[in-house]
Amino acid sequence: MPSDWRRLPWYLRYAFGARLMSKVRLVMLKATHLHCRIEFRGPVRIGPGFRLDMLDHGTLIVGSNVDFRRGFVCEIAGNGRVEIGAGTVFTSNALVQCSTSIVIGERCAFGQSTLVFDGVHRYTDLETHWMDQGWDFEPITIGDGVGVSDKCTIQASIGERAMIASGSVVNRPIPAYTVAAGVPARVVRYFGPEPRPEVAPAAKRVAPVVE
């Protein structure tokens, strides 16, 4: 409890109240997703606006001390699987869309309005509207300690401890211990151990039109 009584209303609302509501959201989450696998491997913080959309028999596994601060949305289709490692933080308005597999390592951080998804629309058939051409899917792995800044789009895997600059679009694999920036994201710095790895080849996929 705060020593200054004038801070008590703040404490009750933003500290004690936030922890209480997080527990309530967790109970409601489990109660409304009995048809799929949801596993929390320790205490987590579930902030306001958390939403989990799993109509089918997908899987969500969350490590301990994961922080979903505000406006986190996760959509898992079919038998998709999302794993989030311990200590990872989602600041606000993150969206994760998965139909295959998205694995996020421990102690990663995702900035405001980050989008992570494992599928892109096909669009090259001129006789068919692009919304009717289906999707191409590719599992995504994000290594431990990755930092993704605000307003990024992640469509490919990212190596351990890599840093992604604000507003970047990752549509090719990013090696570990690198800084990547741009649209599409390119490696601009390597800070890891020697020898330096080869930079990933150019992306084979093209960023889709967002619905």
Side-chain angles (χ1 to χ4, degrees):
M1 296 292 288
S3 57
D4 184 351
W5 67 268
R6 288 169 294 190
R7 292 177 56 194
L8 183 60
W10 180 95
Y11 179 86
L12 291 175
R13 177 175 181 180
Y14 294 105
F16 175 78
R19 287 197 295 267
L20 176 61
M21 290 306 299
S22 177
K23 293 180 180 179
V24 171
R25 294 184 188 106
L26 180 58
V27 171
M28 292 297 296
L29 185 65
K30 292 180 177 180
T32 54
H33 290 80
L34 300 177
H35 60 286
C36 47
R37 180 185 176 190
I38 299 180
E39 183 177 339
F40 290 87
R41 296 176 174 175
V44 297
R45 174 187 175 186
I46 299 180
F50 184 101
R51 177 184 168 189
L52 179 61
D53 188 350
M54 294 175 66
L55 180 62
D56 301 309
H57 301 288
T59 299
L60 173 67
I61 299 176
V62 179
S64 63
N65 298 312
V66 172
D67 190 353
F68 303 102
R69 291 184 183 172
R70 181 180 300 275
F72 177 87
V73 176
C74 183
E75 300 174 355
I76 302 177
N79 293 318
R81 180 185 182 92
V82 173
E83 296 186 37
I84 302 172
T88 289
V89 177
F90 295 89
T91 57
S92 62
N93 301 318
L95 172 60
V96 176
Q97 296 178 317
C98 177
S99 295
T100 58
S101 172
I102 295 177
V103 178
I104 298 171
E106 297 184 355
R107 299 197 68 188
C108 297
F110 294 85
Q112 178 255 346
S113 297
T114 294
L115 169 61
V116 183
F117 60 100
D118 63 347
V120 294
H121 269 294
R122 302 187 186 112
Y123 56 87
T124 56
D125 183 352
L126 301 183
E127 303 300 323
T128 306
H129 191 282
W130 64 271
M131 292 184 67
D132 300 323
Q133 294 185 39
W135 297 73
D136 290 320
F137 294 104
E138 181 177 335
I140 291 175
T141 300
I142 298 175
D144 293 343
V146 167
V148 178
S149 195
D150 61 292
K151 298 178 176 65
C152 289
T153 299
I154 310 300
Q155 303 171 243
S157 295
I158 303 174
E160 180 181 1
R161 292 285 303 276
M163 306 297 292
I164 310 301
S166 297
S168 298
V169 176
V170 176
N171 63 359
R172 73 189 73 187
I174 300 298
Y177 303 105
T178 60
V179 178
V183 182
R186 301 179 183 275
V187 173
V188 297
R189 181 186 176 194
Y190 174 75
F191 58 88
E194 297 297 337
R196 177 178 178 140
E198 294 183 3
V199 176
K204 294 181 180 180
R205 298 194 299 173
V206 178
V209 178
V210 178
E211 294 184 40

